[in-house]
Amino acid sequence: MRPKLVLIEGLPGFGKTTTAQLVHEILTEMNIKSQLFLEGNLEHPADYDGVAYFQKNEFDKLLNTHETFKDLLSNLVIKHGDNYFLEYRKIKNEYESSFPDELLHAVVKNDVYELSLDRNRKLITEKWKKFAESVLKGTDTFVFDCCFLQNPVTLGMIKNAAKKEDVISYVLELATIVEPLNPLLIYVEQDDLEHSFRKAVMDRPQEWSEGFIEYYTSQGYGKKHSYKGLEGTLQILKARRDLEEEIFNGINIAKKKVDNSSYDKSKYKQVIVEVLSEYFGATN
């Protein structure tokens, strides 16, 4: 069976998004119908981006604290049994001033990726199971950018300084869930981590680098090791690379590493063509 899922992973600035876009482009050229979901896509079928989670008592407390918006919140909440979800980024985009920043800040505290590792893992694995079941019935191949490895590692290691075994088992559980889809993991590498990340800092908006460095150094792993600023962030990224290397080596799905050090898109595309041809058959 051809892969029904292609997972793109790698460190920030290494070219994950470019790779995901190339995979989608090449599959289209191969007459293979694919759906591309990049980081931040609010319609992601297997992840929660911009979504807050509440248990019933937590949601009732939110309603009581913000009585003015009780009807709005009650109408917009999505209930799955005892689970309550607010797609707050979608809601903010649609309702704008009717969903003020004060309310937004209250809701964001319950973002799925602000939850404990255990609760996050339960919700995410449930969603991946539903995704895998639905994809088995269809013919499309899905291309995911960074939600398979990056998100569990970021939440587990970076945010919570969780035990390595807990982070690894989270990713291995996702791998087991998607195994029926015959997934292909493509891991993007660079020769020089420091150069690549510094380049990303220079190339991207200042608010991105400031937010990234703040997130990495002010939470679990960064605080535990007293890392500060850009240099501290680089140390954390090196530790993340080591953990992802260990996960990659131990994971039991089809996997390939690709080198994007040259930043030569035409040559890099040919590398991706060769990888995809191996798993999807030769190009036309």
Side-chain angles (χ1 to χ4, degrees), residues 103-204:
L103 179 58
L104 179 66
H105 293 152
V107 170
V108 167
K109 291 175 183 175
N110 281 61
D111 185 289
V112 170
Y113 283 98
E114 292 296 326
L115 303 175
S116 68
L117 183 61
D118 287 344
R119 187 180 282 191
N120 169 276
R121 178 172 174 171
K122 186 173 185 296
L123 293 171
I124 295 294
T125 51
E126 284 174 359
K127 188 154 189 185
W128 278 78
K129 286 173 186 174
K130 290 177 184 175
F131 162 73
E133 289 167 6
S134 67
V135 171
L136 271 175
K137 302 168 188 171
T139 58
D140 290 8
T141 292
F142 287 74
V143 182
F144 286 174
D145 167 29
C146 83
C147 63
F148 174 73
L149 240 178
Q150 175 175 286
N151 288 357
V153 169
T154 300
L155 182 69
M157 174 192 166
I158 309 301
K159 183 172 176 58
N160 290 299
K163 293 179 182 177
K164 180 171 70 172
E165 295 75 18
D166 291 339
V167 180
I168 293 173
S169 70
Y170 186 165
V171 180
L172 293 182
E173 183 176 3
L174 294 181
T176 301
I177 290 168
V178 298
E179 191 175 346
L181 306 182
N182 195 27
L184 169 61
L185 170 60
I186 297 177
Y187 195 88
V188 185
E189 292 196 303
Q190 296 269 359
D191 289 338
D192 189 333
L193 183 160
E194 185 170 332
H195 170 77
S196 300
F197 186 69
R198 287 184 188 277
K199 184 177 185 302
V201 168
M202 292 294 294
D203 291 347
R204 298 183 185 185

Side-chain angles (χ1 to χ4, degrees), residues 47-59:
D47 197 22
Y48 289 110
D49 200 308
V51 178
Y53 166 79
F54 301 85
Q55 294 180 323
K56 185 180 185 305
N57 64 313
E58 295 171 325
F59 188 68

Side-chain angles (χ1 to χ4, degrees), residues 253-280:
I253 60 176
K255 56 195 177 184
K256 283 283 185 180
K257 289 184 178 180
V258 292
D259 193 321
N260 188 32
S261 301
S262 69
Y263 292 102
D264 184 326
K265 194 169 181 180
S266 60
K267 287 183 180 178
Y268 186 55
K269 181 176 180 179
Q270 190 53 44
V271 171
I272 305 300
V273 166
E274 290 170 8
V275 170
L276 295 178
S277 296
E278 180 180 345
Y279 292 93
F280 288 87

